[in-house]
Amino acid sequence: MLYTTFARQHGQFLSKYVQKADFQLEGAEDRYGLNISVVTLPPEDGPLDYLSKAEKDQYYSFKYPRRRNSYILGKLAAKMAVAGEHDDLAGIQVDHGILCQPIVAGRTRGITITHCDDLGAAIDYDPRLLLGVDMELVDEKAMDALRRITSKEEEGLIHGLGPEPAFLTLLWTAKEAMSKVIQTGFTVPTELFEIKSCVRGEQGVISQFTNFPQFKALSILREKYVFTVVLPGKAMTEMSEIRLLNGLRQLLLPI
């Protein structure tokens, strides 16, 4: 089904469960386009016209609701980020590469995907970029585990960044997003992703890495979630950083 047809037939579904935005980053050398979607878990009786027959079969094959939910959040977020008005949603095939990194079959643009609890997000991005996204629930029960992978140097960054649970979750999302950029996940030591600095501004938090000085992590703190995008610093001027953070805040307001 074409996106325009889906939007016409299921406009209420889109307005309730899908948020989309396009951004143009202005770097020192060029401009780079991002298409971002944030989705909320739809009801099980909601429309599935955006899935192919094989994807529907896969969805219904999952025995446990949690696995079905993560599958549908990832597919919906990715397709909504990628789709143009005249694209066939069911024809957008989201596959995985040799290191399980997401790819969209037949397209050169990059895709990065995250899902957590009842939310999902994806960013379709200019292939000249390297980019990763992560979103995590601020969960008190996870704090002991997060403290164990937080260095003494990182602990010293907490001043002015809010309560410890949100701060530790922010560090984790930055590391997770960076691991997606280099497409290893956490198959390498977590110390590799150590955070060197965190600066909080009006729109969000900008972090930098000890071992990846070329990259910046832009984070938005919501009441229950932290949303982080990692991308090359040279892809953004200072004003472009501010516009992207502000745009992300607006995109995440409904959740």
Side-chain angles (χ1 to χ4, degrees):
M1 178 178 285
L2 296 182
Y3 178 84
T4 50
T5 306
F6 185 90
R8 186 169 61 251
Q9 294 183 6
H10 305 293
Q12 188 173 3
F13 173 89
L14 288 178
S15 63
K16 186 172 183 179
Y17 298 107
V18 178
Q19 303 293 323
K20 292 183 61 170
D22 301 337
F23 296 95
Q24 282 290 325
L25 300 180
E26 296 179 4
E29 299 175 356
D30 211 337
R31 295 187 176 190
Y32 310 91
L34 308 179
N35 304 312
I36 305 178
S37 72
V38 178
V39 303
T40 305
L41 182 67
E44 290 198 353
D45 62 353
L48 293 176
D49 301 323
Y50 53 90
L51 298 180
S52 67
K53 182 183 183 303
E55 289 169 336
K56 290 176 185 176
D57 291 343
Q58 181 73 63
Y59 172 69
Y60 287 122
S61 74
F62 294 123
K63 181 178 179 181
Y64 298 105
R66 184 171 182 177
R67 184 66 187 91
R68 287 199 301 273
N69 292 349
S70 64
Y71 181 84
I72 206 69
L73 283 169
K75 293 295 184 185
L76 179 59
K79 288 171 182 262
M80 290 299 158
V82 169
E85 289 187 354
H86 301 294
D87 281 326
D88 176 11
L89 290 170
I92 296 173
Q93 185 178 348
V94 183
D95 292 326
H96 289 88
I98 195 168
L99 295 178
C100 293
Q101 76 276 18
I103 57 174
V104 180
R107 303 200 180 209
T108 59
R109 289 177 64 85
I111 185 80
T112 180
I113 304 169
T114 185
H115 50 77
C116 172
D117 198 30
D118 61 352
L119 294 174
I123 304 178
D124 165 75
Y125 58 90
D126 188 301
R128 294 171 295 171
L129 293 176
L130 296 170
L131 193 145
V133 65
D134 191 50
M135 178 166 46
E136 298 290 342
L137 178 69
V138 179
D139 184 359
E140 292 280 357
K141 296 190 292 293
M143 291 305 106
D144 286 343
L146 294 185
R147 289 187 192 101
R148 286 195 293 271
I149 63 166
T150 301
S151 68
K152 294 295 184 183
E153 290 75 14
E154 288 172 330
E155 290 175 1
L157 302 175
I158 192 171
H159 180 70
L161 292 174
E164 183 189 38
F167 168 70
L168 294 179
T169 306
L170 183 151
L171 294 184
W172 174 259
T173 61
K175 295 174 183 181
E176 175 79 23
M178 187 69 237
S179 78
K180 293 179 181 179
V181 170
I182 64 172
Q183 298 183 355
T184 61
F186 287 116
T187 61
V188 297
T190 56
E191 294 84 359
L192 182 66
F193 304 110
E194 183 181 61
I195 304 299
K196 180 181 180 180
S197 65
C198 295
V199 178
R200 183 163 195 166
E202 292 184 6
Q203 305 301 331
V205 178
I206 298 178
S207 306
Q208 293 187 271
F209 299 87
T210 302
N211 298 307
F212 299 97
Q214 311 95 324
F215 291 88
K216 291 184 177 183
L218 279 62
S219 301
I220 303 295
L221 283 72
R222 304 296 297 154
E223 183 177 350
K224 294 170 54 182
Y225 298 90
V226 181
F227 182 95
T228 296
V229 179
V230 169
L231 67 168
K234 68 183 295 184
M236 305 171 289
T237 62
E238 184 175 349
M239 286 304 300
S240 191
E241 287 178 5
I242 294 172
R243 283 195 295 269
L244 179 56
L245 280 169
N246 184 58
L248 291 173
R249 284 181 63 86
Q250 296 301 314
L251 191 63
L252 296 165
L253 275 178
I255 70 173

